[in-house]
C-alpha cells in the first residue's frame, strides 16, 4: 500500500478558502492524499462556502474550522497558504515540507447583493478547484 501524501491548507479563519480546498482535495485526491485544513484564528465554516460547494456536488458541511496542529504541520508533505496573512504568519516548517501560496481574494469580504456575493464565492471556488486539480496532477506524476 502506497504512503499517502499529507497536505494542509491554511488560511486565517479556516472558514472559506481552506475549507473549499480541503473539500476539493478530498474529492479529487481520493485515497492518495491525507487532507487537512486549519486556521490561524479559526472562525467556523462559512455557510456560503458550504452552499457553493454543494452546487458542485461536494459536501463540506461536516468539516470544522480548526487551529493549526503543530505536529501535523511538521509532518506534512505540503502546506498551501490561501491568504497573505496565513503565508506571513504561518509557523516555521521543517525543510522537507514544501510550501506553496495561492493568493486568492477572501469571498467573505465581498459586498453587494446576495447574488453578487455568491458570484464572488463561486469564482473563488472555481479558482480553488483548478489549483487543486493542477496540484494533484503535478504531485501524482
Amino acid at each position: 500500500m502506497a504512503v499517502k501524501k499529507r497536505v494542509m491548507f491554511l488560511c486565517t479563519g479556516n472558514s472559506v478558502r481552506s475549507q473549499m480546498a480541503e473539500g476539493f482535495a478530498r474529492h479529487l485526491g481520493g485515497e492518495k492524499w491525507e487532507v487537512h485544513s486549519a486556521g490561524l484564528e479559526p472562525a467556523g465554516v462559512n455557510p456560503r462556502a458550504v452552499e457553493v460547494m454543494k452546487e458542485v456536488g461536494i459536501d463540506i458541511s461536516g468539516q470544522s474550522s480548526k487551529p493549526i496542529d503543530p505536529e501535523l504541520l511538521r509532518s506534512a508533505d505540503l502546506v498551501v497558504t490561501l491568504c497573505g496573512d496565513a503565508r506571513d504568519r504561518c509557523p516555521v516548517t521543517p525543510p522537507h515540507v514544501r510550501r506553496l501560496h495561492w493568493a486568492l481574494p477572501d469571498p467573505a469580504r465581498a459586498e453587494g447583493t446576495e447574488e453578487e456575493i455568491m458570484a464572488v464565492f463561486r469564482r473563488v471556488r472555481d479558482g480553488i478547484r483548478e489549483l487543486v486539480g493542477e496540484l494533484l496532477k503535478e504531485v501524482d506524476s
Side-chain angles (χ1 to χ4, degrees), residues 91-126:
V92 174
T93 53
H96 76 273
V97 177
R98 179 178 175 205
R99 299 225 1 205
L100 294 175
H101 177 66
W102 297 340
L104 297 163
D106 184 357
R109 294 179 186 254
E111 296 179 349
T113 65
E114 184 63 19
E115 185 176 302
E116 292 166 335
I117 292 169
M118 290 302 285
V120 173
F121 271 79
R122 289 181 186 107
R123 276 194 303 276
V124 171
R125 174 204 62 203
D126 294 345

Side-chain angles (χ1 to χ4, degrees), residues 12-137:
T12 303
N14 189 218
S15 63
V16 179
R17 292 165 287 182
S18 53
Q19 292 291 338
M20 289 181 183
E22 178 182 350
F24 279 123
R26 286 183 190 282
H27 181 76
L28 300 172
E31 295 299 314
K32 296 179 180 180
W33 286 85
E34 179 184 329
V35 182
H36 303 274
S37 70
L40 300 167
E41 301 163 11
V45 179
N46 187 303
R48 288 182 176 123
V50 173
E51 186 176 335
V52 298
M53 290 297 285
K54 191 176 290 183
E55 291 173 359
V56 295
I58 298 173
D59 182 5
I60 64 168
S61 64
Q63 293 178 193
S64 62
S65 184
K66 305 161 286 301
I68 296 171
D69 177 336
E71 181 54 39
L72 201 54
L73 190 66
R74 284 191 296 276
S75 65
D77 295 294
L78 175 64
V79 171
V80 180
T81 54
L82 292 107
C83 69
D85 188 43
R87 177 198 59 213
D88 297 343
R89 294 177 46 208
C90 179
V92 174
T93 53
H96 76 273
V97 177
R98 179 178 175 205
R99 299 225 1 205
L100 294 175
H101 177 66
W102 297 340
L104 297 163
D106 184 357
R109 294 179 186 254
E111 296 179 349
T113 65
E114 184 63 19
E115 185 176 302
E116 292 166 335
I117 292 169
M118 290 302 285
V120 173
F121 271 79
R122 289 181 186 107
R123 276 194 303 276
V124 171
R125 174 204 62 203
D126 294 345
I128 291 170
R129 175 177 33 204
E130 185 175 319
L131 289 165
V132 168
E134 290 171 8
L135 177 67
L136 293 174
K137 281 184 210 167

